[in-house]
Amino acid sequence: MTSFFRRISFQKTKKTPTAAAAVAVPEEQEEEEEEESPLPTPQTQTVLLLHAARQPYQLTENYPVPQVQGEHEVLVRTQAIGLNPIDWKAPDFNFAIPELPYISGRELAGEVVQKPNEKSRLKARDRVLVISTDYRDLRKATYQEYVVAFDYNTVRLPPSISPEEGSTLGVAFVAAALALGVCMGVDFSSVLDGPDLFTLVRKIAPELLAEDVRGECLDGIAGHERAVAGDWLAIWGGSSTSANLTIQLAKLAGLKTIAVVDKAKHGLRLANHTSIRTDLLVDSHDPQRAVDIIRSNLKGKLRFGIDTRGRDTATTLLQALSPSNLATPSLPSAAADETADVDAPPSPPATPHDSTQLSAHLIGLTGLPKQSAPEGALFHTVPIKLFHEVPEIGDALVQWLERLLAQGLVAPPEIIDVEHGLGSINKGLDRMRKGEISGGKLVVRVA
């Protein structure tokens, strides 16, 4: 895949002054060289370390600044960090922690301090969004003052987007784009030359795709079943950040959207919001009534559903999908509607069948029903690791997001509040545990 990143570089020729004549360096050239030169970087930094499950993160000084190793790696100084539910659920439920002590954090906005190789589109002092989906590499975790990132997982921010705004949308964007583009087959090529991920992933040698996501990538949905403009998509848990970006991208692709939310909390905001206003807004308070409303309005036209909450709500959403005769278990209690299932990984996708009959497709961001997919339906999990393991995918997504942000076609999620300093992250995560942050993002300003 090295050839994919081969880019044209312009070599600057320096003239050496002699006794006969001294060559003056133009002021513009001096400014350009200064802009591209590395910024001073300390040897040590302050980080947050998790030493054991069910404990708070510990503020730790004199921790080594991570070192850049590969040709596509850059070093970024942290300015603002977006907090995600996984950051408190992982230690509380003791999962997704590959080693201890551990550094967490999945997205930040900051400034490139070490100039990458000449082939990279990035340069020192670029304002960027870093999207860290590779949770096993602690150099890329965002709860630290300096972070290593792949250039193909790094988004240049336009002047219109502040660091706080930039830190809110990275992981949600990746999850939304892969759910729509890979699991549903949506083609974004008509939206600022966005990626056709369904086609792109099939051009990659199968052995380069991780075994646990290969089936979803290559066999998850057949070509004739791909979602197209005019198709309906229902999102259960429509107030989450991932739902926010999913709705925005789905609308850009011409899909019609349904959001199932707590209307008392989020109904007015979603109904009046330009970017995330849906075609149908359904109250989640009574799950059976929500299913009935969707069925009566769509009349068998709903084939695609995305659940952002967990196993129970995914089971509920399955009953709203067509074919309408799907055999599904009874609905879970309403009390389970707001709680994601975090103690077990999502179920694997169902084995595709050869029938030309259009199927219902259910995508679980945090869980899927316990039972196997019934006849006429397929289950999907989002292959997140494509973003950092396959450079072609990561590069296509971040450069598309750069264009979307520059043109104002994607808006950052609402910022609920801003905390200050790495030491305030524990306080912020406690607020998330208590359910105080809903319908937007909590951000921590670091520098």
Side-chain angles (χ1 to χ4, degrees):
M1 285 179 283
T2 303
S3 61
F4 176 77
F5 289 97
R6 186 172 293 116
R7 294 177 171 85
I8 298 174
S9 60
F10 297 92
Q11 303 296 326
K12 297 184 176 67
T13 302
K14 292 187 177 180
K15 297 183 179 180
T16 304
T18 65
V23 179
V25 179
E27 182 177 345
E28 293 82 0
Q29 182 177 338
E30 290 181 347
E31 292 177 354
E32 179 181 347
E33 291 178 352
E34 180 180 351
E35 288 178 355
E36 295 187 359
S37 62
L39 295 174
T41 306
Q43 296 293 314
T44 62
Q45 61 169 336
T46 300
V47 305
L48 279 186
L49 288 179
L50 179 71
H51 291 278
R54 291 173 286 278
Q55 290 187 6
Y57 295 91
Q58 298 295 320
L59 196 65
T60 305
E61 298 179 346
N62 298 318
Y63 193 88
V65 169
Q67 298 298 305
V68 171
Q69 297 174 359
E71 64 172 334
H72 294 295
E73 293 185 350
V74 298
L75 187 66
V76 176
R77 181 174 66 90
T78 305
Q79 294 177 329
I81 301 170
L83 303 188
N84 288 285
I86 187 67
D87 301 335
W88 68 263
K89 291 179 180 179
D92 282 14
F93 296 93
N94 195 18
F95 74 102
I97 303 174
E99 62 181 278
L100 291 171
Y102 182 64
I103 305 175
S104 191
R106 295 290 169 264
E107 54 194 347
L108 67 78
E111 181 181 35
V112 174
V113 296
Q114 280 190 16
K115 182 179 179 179
N117 70 85
E118 292 294 334
K119 298 178 182 179
S120 175
R121 74 190 195 287
L122 302 176
K123 63 180 184 298
R125 293 178 172 81
D126 274 348
R127 299 170 61 253
V128 295
L129 158 65
V130 172
I131 309 171
S132 176
T133 55
D134 185 5
Y135 71 94
R136 295 184 181 276
D137 189 342
L138 302 193
R139 299 176 307 140
K140 301 172 186 174
T142 64
Y143 287 2
Q144 52 189 330
E145 292 179 313
Y146 290 87
V147 172
V148 168
F150 289 136
D151 56 2
Y152 54 83
N153 290 162
T154 304
V155 181
R156 292 173 298 183
L157 295 176
S160 58
I161 302 294
S162 70
E164 289 83 1
E165 292 173 320
S167 70
T168 65
L169 52 76
V171 174
F173 169 80
V174 172
L178 293 176
L180 293 166
V182 176
C183 302
M184 291 175 50
V186 175
D187 181 0
F188 293 110
S189 58
S190 64
V191 185
L192 293 184
D193 195 26
D196 178 2
L197 295 174
F198 177 91
T199 301
L200 181 58
V201 78
R202 283 162 175 76
K203 293 181 179 179
I204 298 166
E207 62 270 16
L208 298 179
L209 301 173
E211 187 175 355
D212 59 340
V213 301
R214 193 177 302 157
E216 180 61 65
C217 294
L218 302 180
D219 302 314
I221 187 169
H224 71 279
E225 298 227 4
R226 299 177 65 178
V228 297
D231 281 342
W232 283 88
L233 167 65
I235 303 169
W236 200 293
S239 63
S240 68
T241 304
S242 55
N244 181 310
L245 270 297
T246 300
I247 292 169
Q248 292 192 61
L249 297 184
K251 291 175 64 175
L252 290 175
L255 300 182
K256 297 180 179 180
T257 55
I258 303 168
V260 185
V261 299
D262 183 337
K263 291 182 70 172
K265 289 183 179 179
H266 307 292
L268 184 61
R269 179 177 63 87
L270 267 65
N272 294 327
H273 199 294
T274 302
S275 299
I276 56 176
R277 182 187 300 121
T278 57
D279 296 280
L280 181 61
L281 191 62
V282 180
D283 193 355
S284 63
H285 179 70
D286 183 339
Q288 183 60 65
R289 184 171 183 272
V291 169
D292 292 342
I293 290 172
I294 294 172
R295 284 177 170 173
S296 63
N297 279 272
L298 272 294
K299 303 184 185 306
K301 297 179 181 179
L302 178 63
R303 290 197 301 121
F304 299 99
I306 296 179
D307 177 81
T308 73
R309 290 302 196 183
R311 177 179 294 163
D312 289 335
T313 50
T315 303
T316 303
L317 179 56
L318 178 61
Q319 297 194 41
L321 301 181
S322 303
S324 58
N325 61 349
L326 292 177
T328 56
S330 59
L331 288 172
S333 64
D337 179 51
E338 297 297 323
T339 304
D341 188 356
V342 297
D343 59 355
S347 305
T351 302
H353 53 76
D354 296 328
S355 173
T356 57
Q357 178 70 33
L358 296 181
S359 302
H361 297 268
L362 177 64
I363 303 162
L365 297 188
T366 57
L368 284 165
K370 289 183 179 181
Q371 85 278 7
S372 299
E375 183 68 25
L378 294 172
F379 290 169
H380 302 266
T381 55
V382 181
I384 288 291
K385 62 174 58 177
L386 278 181
F387 180 65
H388 61 265
E389 289 191 354
V390 183
E392 291 91 338
I393 301 297
D395 195 66
L397 288 177
V398 298
Q399 293 204 49
W400 185 42
L401 181 54
E402 288 180 359
R403 298 192 294 273
L404 291 171
L405 292 174
Q407 295 296 321
L409 293 186
V410 162
E414 181 180 350
I415 297 175
I416 303 299
D417 201 359
V418 178
E419 301 283 356
H420 295 274
L422 282 172
S424 69
I425 286 180
N426 282 318
K427 174 185 174 184
L429 296 179
D430 281 339
R431 295 177 64 184
M432 296 175 70
R433 285 185 180 95
K434 297 174 183 176
E436 296 178 8
I437 309 301
S438 182
K441 292 279 284 192
L442 181 61
V443 171
V444 175
R445 178 76 189 194
V446 176

